Amino acid sequence: MPAQIEDVSTVVPGRDGSAVWLRDLLAQAGVNPSARFVTLASGDGKFAISLPLQPLLERGGARLPQGEAPLPPSSGGPVRVLLTGKVECQAPDIDACAMVKGLGRIRVTSEREPDVGHLHH
């Protein structure tokens, strides 16, 4: 596992637990140089959002289970995406909806994929 952020509240105020930077996780997985987008999908398949890869690499982290216990669903577990800095809905660079709860899949692609269940009212 890449280097962890032991206290996530130091980078995302109001959150607790530990996390890992998504840039480190994806670097370990080996990202194709042609990759320009990332799709984050919930484990239940009911939600997915595709967004530009670079802003996620700069600001995204994955909140991890604490100790031996999994991160509870009430906290977005078992893994939840967190973003640093001010995050707005429908922002041009990275949408607040990218803070996916119950993260089940990350797919890095050269083209934007369709969103699933991602609606703005």
Side-chain angles (χ1 to χ4, degrees):
M1 181 67 75
Q4 291 190 17
I5 304 163
E6 294 300 326
D7 180 3
V8 77
S9 70
T10 62
V11 293
V12 183
R15 302 291 181 163
D16 60 356
S18 62
V20 62
W21 290 112
L22 287 174
R23 65 180 166 255
D24 295 338
L25 188 64
L26 292 174
Q28 267 199 338
V31 174
N32 188 316
S34 68
R36 294 182 26 235
F37 294 92
V38 62
T39 301
L40 304 171
S42 63
D44 62 10
K46 294 180 181 178
F47 183 86
I49 184 170
S50 185
L51 55 137
L53 176 61
Q54 194 57 44
L56 185 71
L57 294 178
E58 293 168 4
R59 300 177 52 192
R63 187 170 170 210
L64 303 170
Q66 294 195 57
E68 300 297 316
L71 188 63
S74 61
S75 295
V79 175
R80 178 167 189 180
V81 176
L82 297 175
L83 300 172
T84 62
K86 186 175 180 182
V87 184
E88 297 180 5
C89 202
Q90 298 181 350
D93 61 343
I94 191 164
D95 192 305
C97 294
M99 292 189 285
V100 176
K101 297 177 182 178
L103 182 67
R105 179 175 53 102
I106 301 172
R107 183 161 49 216
V108 182
T109 60
S110 59
E111 301 294 326
R112 186 183 293 266
E113 295 185 316
D115 293 341
V116 173
H118 176 223
L119 304 172
H120 291 285
H121 303 282

PDB file of all heavy atoms in Angstrom, residues 1-6 18-25 28 62 64:
ATOM      1  N   MET A   1       0.850  -1.178   0.000  1.00  0.00           N
ATOM      2  CA  MET A   1       0.000   0.000   0.000  1.00  0.00           C
ATOM      3  C   MET A   1       0.895   1.240   0.000  1.00  0.00           C
ATOM      4  O   MET A   1       1.875   1.298   0.729  1.00  0.00           O
ATOM      5  CB  MET A   1      -0.898  -0.035   1.236  1.00  0.00           C
ATOM      6  CG  MET A   1      -1.862   1.122   1.361  1.00  0.00           C
ATOM      7  SD  MET A   1      -3.148   1.213   0.137  1.00  0.00           S
ATOM      8  CE  MET A   1      -4.226  -0.088   0.676  1.00  0.00           C
ATOM      9  N   PRO A   2       0.540   2.247  -0.806  1.00  0.00           N
ATOM     10  CA  PRO A   2       1.332   3.486  -0.799  1.00  0.00           C
ATOM     11  C   PRO A   2       1.310   4.149   0.575  1.00  0.00           C
ATOM     12  O   PRO A   2       0.512   3.787   1.441  1.00  0.00           O
ATOM     13  CB  PRO A   2       0.601   4.366  -1.816  1.00  0.00           C
ATOM     14  CG  PRO A   2      -0.298   3.469  -2.574  1.00  0.00           C
ATOM     15  CD  PRO A   2      -0.565   2.277  -1.710  1.00  0.00           C
ATOM     16  N   ALA A   3       2.156   5.146   0.734  1.00  0.00           N
ATOM     17  CA  ALA A   3       2.215   5.888   1.997  1.00  0.00           C
ATOM     18  C   ALA A   3       0.835   6.410   2.351  1.00  0.00           C
ATOM     19  O   ALA A   3       0.127   6.936   1.510  1.00  0.00           O
ATOM     20  CB  ALA A   3       3.203   7.037   1.876  1.00  0.00           C
ATOM     21  N   GLN A   4       0.467   6.232   3.590  1.00  0.00           N
ATOM     22  CA  GLN A   4      -0.857   6.634   4.027  1.00  0.00           C
ATOM     23  C   GLN A   4      -0.840   8.006   4.676  1.00  0.00           C
ATOM     24  O   GLN A   4       0.165   8.446   5.211  1.00  0.00           O
ATOM     25  CB  GLN A   4      -1.409   5.611   5.016  1.00  0.00           C
ATOM     26  CG  GLN A   4      -1.715   4.289   4.367  1.00  0.00           C
ATOM     27  CD  GLN A   4      -2.481   3.373   5.308  1.00  0.00           C
ATOM     28  OE1 GLN A   4      -3.037   3.807   6.293  1.00  0.00           O
ATOM     29  NE2 GLN A   4      -2.504   2.104   4.985  1.00  0.00           N
ATOM     30  N   ILE A   5      -1.996   8.659   4.624  1.00  0.00           N
ATOM     31  CA  ILE A   5      -2.236   9.885   5.372  1.00  0.00           C
ATOM     32  C   ILE A   5      -2.832   9.402   6.684  1.00  0.00           C
ATOM     33  O   ILE A   5      -3.970   8.924   6.719  1.00  0.00           O
ATOM     34  CB  ILE A   5      -3.227  10.787   4.629  1.00  0.00           C
ATOM     35  CG1 ILE A   5      -2.730  11.091   3.221  1.00  0.00           C
ATOM     36  CG2 ILE A   5      -3.480  12.075   5.426  1.00  0.00           C
ATOM     37  CD1 ILE A   5      -3.809  11.624   2.298  1.00  0.00           C
ATOM     38  N   GLU A   6      -2.055   9.438   7.730  1.00  0.00           N
ATOM     39  CA  GLU A   6      -2.495   8.868   9.006  1.00  0.00           C
ATOM     40  C   GLU A   6      -3.690   9.599   9.599  1.00  0.00           C
ATOM     41  O   GLU A   6      -4.579   8.986  10.176  1.00  0.00           O
ATOM     42  CB  GLU A   6      -1.338   8.845  10.007  1.00  0.00           C
ATOM     43  CG  GLU A   6      -0.214   7.916   9.607  1.00  0.00           C
ATOM     44  CD  GLU A   6      -0.641   6.462   9.466  1.00  0.00           C
ATOM     45  OE1 GLU A   6      -1.518   5.987  10.205  1.00  0.00           O
ATOM     46  OE2 GLU A   6      -0.088   5.781   8.569  1.00  0.00           O
ATOM     47  N   SER A  18      -7.844   7.446   8.328  1.00  0.00           N
ATOM     48  CA  SER A  18      -6.660   7.514   7.474  1.00  0.00           C
ATOM     49  C   SER A  18      -7.105   7.455   6.015  1.00  0.00           C
ATOM     50  O   SER A  18      -8.245   7.153   5.710  1.00  0.00           O
ATOM     51  CB  SER A  18      -5.702   6.367   7.798  1.00  0.00           C
ATOM     52  OG  SER A  18      -6.320   5.131   7.543  1.00  0.00           O
ATOM     53  N   ALA A  19      -6.164   7.751   5.132  1.00  0.00           N
ATOM     54  CA  ALA A  19      -6.457   7.743   3.700  1.00  0.00           C
ATOM     55  C   ALA A  19      -5.168   7.478   2.943  1.00  0.00           C
ATOM     56  O   ALA A  19      -4.087   7.446   3.525  1.00  0.00           O
ATOM     57  CB  ALA A  19      -7.064   9.079   3.270  1.00  0.00           C
ATOM     58  N   VAL A  20      -5.313   7.300   1.652  1.00  0.00           N
ATOM     59  CA  VAL A  20      -4.171   7.181   0.762  1.00  0.00           C
ATOM     60  C   VAL A  20      -4.461   8.092  -0.426  1.00  0.00           C
ATOM     61  O   VAL A  20      -5.620   8.226  -0.852  1.00  0.00           O
ATOM     62  CB  VAL A  20      -3.946   5.704   0.331  1.00  0.00           C
ATOM     63  CG1 VAL A  20      -5.119   5.155  -0.437  1.00  0.00           C
ATOM     64  CG2 VAL A  20      -2.670   5.552  -0.450  1.00  0.00           C
ATOM     65  N   TRP A  21      -3.434   8.788  -0.926  1.00  0.00           N
ATOM     66  CA  TRP A  21      -3.620   9.630  -2.101  1.00  0.00           C
ATOM     67  C   TRP A  21      -3.925   8.742  -3.299  1.00  0.00           C
ATOM     68  O   TRP A  21      -3.242   7.732  -3.522  1.00  0.00           O
ATOM     69  CB  TRP A  21      -2.374  10.465  -2.377  1.00  0.00           C
ATOM     70  CG  TRP A  21      -2.123  11.541  -1.377  1.00  0.00           C
ATOM     71  CD1 TRP A  21      -1.097  11.596  -0.483  1.00  0.00           C
ATOM     72  CD2 TRP A  21      -2.910  12.711  -1.156  1.00  0.00           C
ATOM     73  NE1 TRP A  21      -1.199  12.735   0.282  1.00  0.00           N
ATOM     74  CE2 TRP A  21      -2.311  13.440  -0.111  1.00  0.00           C
ATOM     75  CE3 TRP A  21      -4.076  13.222  -1.733  1.00  0.00           C
ATOM     76  CZ2 TRP A  21      -2.826  14.644   0.358  1.00  0.00           C
ATOM     77  CZ3 TRP A  21      -4.586  14.424  -1.256  1.00  0.00           C
ATOM     78  CH2 TRP A  21      -3.960  15.120  -0.234  1.00  0.00           C
ATOM     79  N   LEU A  22      -4.926   9.104  -4.069  1.00  0.00           N
ATOM     80  CA  LEU A  22      -5.264   8.317  -5.258  1.00  0.00           C
ATOM     81  C   LEU A  22      -4.128   8.349  -6.276  1.00  0.00           C
ATOM     82  O   LEU A  22      -3.904   7.370  -6.980  1.00  0.00           O
ATOM     83  CB  LEU A  22      -6.569   8.806  -5.877  1.00  0.00           C
ATOM     84  CG  LEU A  22      -7.811   8.432  -5.084  1.00  0.00           C
ATOM     85  CD1 LEU A  22      -9.054   9.072  -5.683  1.00  0.00           C
ATOM     86  CD2 LEU A  22      -7.980   6.920  -5.012  1.00  0.00           C
ATOM     87  N   ARG A  23      -3.360   9.437  -6.334  1.00  0.00           N
ATOM     88  CA  ARG A  23      -2.221   9.505  -7.264  1.00  0.00           C
ATOM     89  C   ARG A  23      -1.206   8.417  -6.957  1.00  0.00           C
ATOM     90  O   ARG A  23      -0.636   7.815  -7.862  1.00  0.00           O
ATOM     91  CB  ARG A  23      -1.576  10.881  -7.253  1.00  0.00           C
ATOM     92  CG  ARG A  23      -0.932  11.267  -5.936  1.00  0.00           C
ATOM     93  CD  ARG A  23      -0.290  12.658  -5.983  1.00  0.00           C
ATOM     94  NE  ARG A  23       0.013  13.137  -4.658  1.00  0.00           N
ATOM     95  CZ  ARG A  23      -0.678  14.062  -4.011  1.00  0.00           C
ATOM     96  NH1 ARG A  23      -1.716  14.635  -4.585  1.00  0.00           N
ATOM     97  NH2 ARG A  23      -0.328  14.435  -2.797  1.00  0.00           N
ATOM     98  N   ASP A  24      -0.983   8.129  -5.661  1.00  0.00           N
ATOM     99  CA  ASP A  24      -0.039   7.085  -5.280  1.00  0.00           C
ATOM    100  C   ASP A  24      -0.594   5.696  -5.590  1.00  0.00           C
ATOM    101  O   ASP A  24       0.127   4.820  -6.063  1.00  0.00           O
ATOM    102  CB  ASP A  24       0.298   7.186  -3.794  1.00  0.00           C
ATOM    103  CG  ASP A  24       1.044   8.467  -3.444  1.00  0.00           C
ATOM    104  OD1 ASP A  24       1.666   9.066  -4.353  1.00  0.00           O
ATOM    105  OD2 ASP A  24       0.998   8.881  -2.279  1.00  0.00           O
ATOM    106  N   LEU A  25      -1.866   5.518  -5.314  1.00  0.00           N
ATOM    107  CA  LEU A  25      -2.513   4.238  -5.587  1.00  0.00           C
ATOM    108  C   LEU A  25      -2.510   3.935  -7.083  1.00  0.00           C
ATOM    109  O   LEU A  25      -2.150   2.832  -7.507  1.00  0.00           O
ATOM    110  CB  LEU A  25      -3.948   4.270  -5.045  1.00  0.00           C
ATOM    111  CG  LEU A  25      -4.716   2.974  -5.060  1.00  0.00           C
ATOM    112  CD1 LEU A  25      -4.070   1.948  -4.155  1.00  0.00           C
ATOM    113  CD2 LEU A  25      -6.152   3.223  -4.622  1.00  0.00           C
ATOM    114  N   GLN A  28       0.971   3.092  -8.434  1.00  0.00           N
ATOM    115  CA  GLN A  28       1.349   1.698  -8.163  1.00  0.00           C
ATOM    116  C   GLN A  28       0.672   0.745  -9.134  1.00  0.00           C
ATOM    117  O   GLN A  28       1.249  -0.261  -9.512  1.00  0.00           O
ATOM    118  CB  GLN A  28       0.978   1.309  -6.735  1.00  0.00           C
ATOM    119  CG  GLN A  28       2.096   1.504  -5.772  1.00  0.00           C
ATOM    120  CD  GLN A  28       1.892   0.707  -4.499  1.00  0.00           C
ATOM    121  OE1 GLN A  28       0.791   0.322  -4.129  1.00  0.00           O
ATOM    122  NE2 GLN A  28       2.974   0.457  -3.814  1.00  0.00           N
ATOM    123  N   ALA A  62      -8.418   8.334  -0.951  1.00  0.00           N
ATOM    124  CA  ALA A  62      -9.360   7.261  -0.624  1.00  0.00           C
ATOM    125  C   ALA A  62      -9.310   7.042   0.878  1.00  0.00           C
ATOM    126  O   ALA A  62      -8.268   6.678   1.427  1.00  0.00           O
ATOM    127  CB  ALA A  62      -9.007   5.979  -1.364  1.00  0.00           C
ATOM    128  N   LEU A  64      -9.792   5.114   4.113  1.00  0.00           N
ATOM    129  CA  LEU A  64      -9.638   3.681   4.334  1.00  0.00           C
ATOM    130  C   LEU A  64     -10.283   3.235   5.635  1.00  0.00           C
ATOM    131  O   LEU A  64     -10.584   4.050   6.501  1.00  0.00           O
ATOM    132  CB  LEU A  64      -8.142   3.347   4.391  1.00  0.00           C
ATOM    133  CG  LEU A  64      -7.330   3.750   3.167  1.00  0.00           C
ATOM    134  CD1 LEU A  64      -5.855   3.589   3.451  1.00  0.00           C
ATOM    135  CD2 LEU A  64      -7.749   2.955   1.960  1.00  0.00           C
TER     136      LEU A  64
END
